[in-house]
Amino acid sequence: MLTQNPHTSGEVGSFYNRHTDVYDQALGGNIHVGYWDDEADDSPMRAATDRLTDLVTERVAPAEGHHLLDVGCGHGSTAMRIVAHHAVRVTGVSVSDYQVKVANDRPQPSGLLGQATFRLADAMELPFPDESFDGAYAIESLMHMKDKMAALGHVARVLRPGGRLVIAEHHLEGELDGPDAARMGDAYAFFKISLTTDRYGELLREAGLKVVDHTDITENVRRSYDSMVDAWREAARRESEGEKAREMERAADLGGWIFGVTPQLRYGLFTAVRP
Ligand code: SAH
């Protein structure tokens, strides 16, 4: 599964140049899933997606003066939340020039404890010196990278000893076969992703990092997908242009299936440390 439909970083970047705004609307200003404690938790989307940011941040364990790397930073919402609450610097990289522009254009209010900067760069070839970051996180970005080992190797290289990497990501548990495998191939091609059947433990170890935690939060994030599907259908209705409307319908059909009902699809938080 891992090597099917490899996408270039340029293709991923242009996907996000076109789709960032729909994700933003569906997910309350973030481009990642929300987290709910349980059925009774009625937090709105914004609060739930911020909660995921906070769960990741806690695991990175930032201390005053730290410099963190945001691997696949989206349009900067995650990094901005972190620098609003912690006295740290964050550098974010994305392969979408639209996202980098939106991120760098965000006003950084004077009350922020830290600061965030964003640049167009590929995580599989990180342009930073060895041991230049105190911590790193990758939220829903590795799924887009055709060479996950290259990216993890680079992150391990730029982390200082003792620095942590936290991954929030989808992965598969178990193989799909028959029509499900074919449909997954369609979803990979559409969303420019390839999921690993590894739970990231093996890959992190191979990159020289020590895994200290894996928490499966699939059931806590599941509610996000309905909202995404609704947003895609809504976007399809708004589009006057036939082709764009069909693209949004396809996103809703494939996304509703892969992220909503495929039992093999899991979402995990992985914490590793550079020895
Ligand atoms: N982490 C952000 C955005 C998630 S969307 C958030 O939680 O809001 C996926 C992000 O991964 C996009 O910003 C995309 O540009 C980035 N990405 C995908 N492949 C990448 C690569 N090879 N190098 C750097 N960023 C990448």
Side-chain angles (χ1 to χ4, degrees):
M1 269 280 155
L2 182 56
T3 51
Q4 277 183 18
N5 295 309
H7 316 288
T8 66
S9 298
E11 287 169 332
V12 175
S14 71
F15 177 84
Y16 278 104
N17 286 347
R18 281 181 292 124
H19 293 276
T20 290
D21 293 346
V22 180
Y23 281 106
D24 173 276
Q25 281 151 30
L27 299 168
N30 286 300
I31 310 183
H32 58 239
V33 297
Y35 181 99
W36 292 267
D37 283 327
D38 49 36
E39 290 283 308
D41 180 351
D42 60 358
S43 305
M45 187 58 76
R46 176 78 211 206
T49 52
D50 281 345
R51 179 88 189 280
L52 187 90
T53 300
D54 295 344
L55 289 171
V56 168
T57 311
E58 278 164 24
R59 285 165 161 79
V60 179
E64 192 173 336
H66 274 183
H67 187 192
L68 307 183
L69 174 65
D70 184 334
V71 183
C73 60
H75 61 355
S77 60
T78 307
M80 292 302 272
R81 181 167 175 83
I82 294 175
V83 300
H85 292 95
H86 300 271
V88 298
R89 276 187 301 142
V90 180
T91 296
V93 296
S94 166
V95 289
S96 156
D97 47 12
Y98 173 71
Q99 289 186 333
V100 171
K101 182 171 176 357
V102 172
N104 280 322
D105 284 351
R106 279 175 193 271
Q108 303 214 8
S110 56
L112 293 187
L113 298 172
Q115 48 169 306
T117 53
F118 306 94
R119 59 189 274 188
L120 191 67
D122 193 326
M124 296 180 285
E125 301 170 55
L126 279 177
F128 303 113
D130 295 358
E131 302 188 10
S132 49
F133 290 94
D134 301 292
Y137 56 90
I139 306 178
E140 296 171 35
S141 58
L142 282 160
M143 66 175 168
H144 294 291
M145 297 183 208
K146 64 179 178 201
D147 191 347
K148 293 167 179 44
M149 264 321 296
L152 293 176
H154 270 279
V155 175
R157 178 182 67 72
V158 303
L159 271 182
R160 64 153 169 83
R164 284 165 167 243
L165 165 65
V166 178
I167 297 173
E169 194 53 279
H170 301 90
H171 61 99
L172 293 174
E173 259 178 40
E175 297 285 346
L176 293 101
D177 46 29
D180 281 352
R183 209 163 179 196
M184 188 60 95
D186 292 346
Y188 282 7
F190 184 87
F191 293 108
K192 311 286 177 246
I193 58 175
S194 59
L195 300 177
T196 166
T197 45
D198 182 273
R199 297 178 187 183
Y200 282 97
E202 200 61 37
L203 296 179
L204 286 162
R205 273 189 290 277
E206 231 179 280
L209 299 170
K210 182 170 179 282
V211 181
V212 293
D213 182 61
H214 166 215
T215 308
D216 187 304
I217 59 168
T218 310
E219 296 317 319
N220 303 92
V221 308
R222 199 177 286 290
R223 238 184 276 176
S224 317
Y225 304 122
D226 289 344
S227 176
M228 274 310 312
V229 170
D230 290 348
W232 280 315
R233 299 236 186 268
E234 179 58 36
R237 272 193 294 277
R238 277 199 315 267
E239 285 301 335
S240 47
E241 211 186 300
E243 199 186 320
K244 191 88 200 263
R246 276 193 297 280
E247 190 184 24
M248 291 293 137
E249 282 295 348
R250 183 139 177 81
D253 291 343
L254 282 171
W257 174 75
I258 177 180
F259 296 117
V261 296
T262 311
Q264 290 91 342
L265 201 271
R266 311 300 301 173
Y267 194 104
L269 292 176
F270 304 85
T271 307
V273 62
R274 172 155 179 197

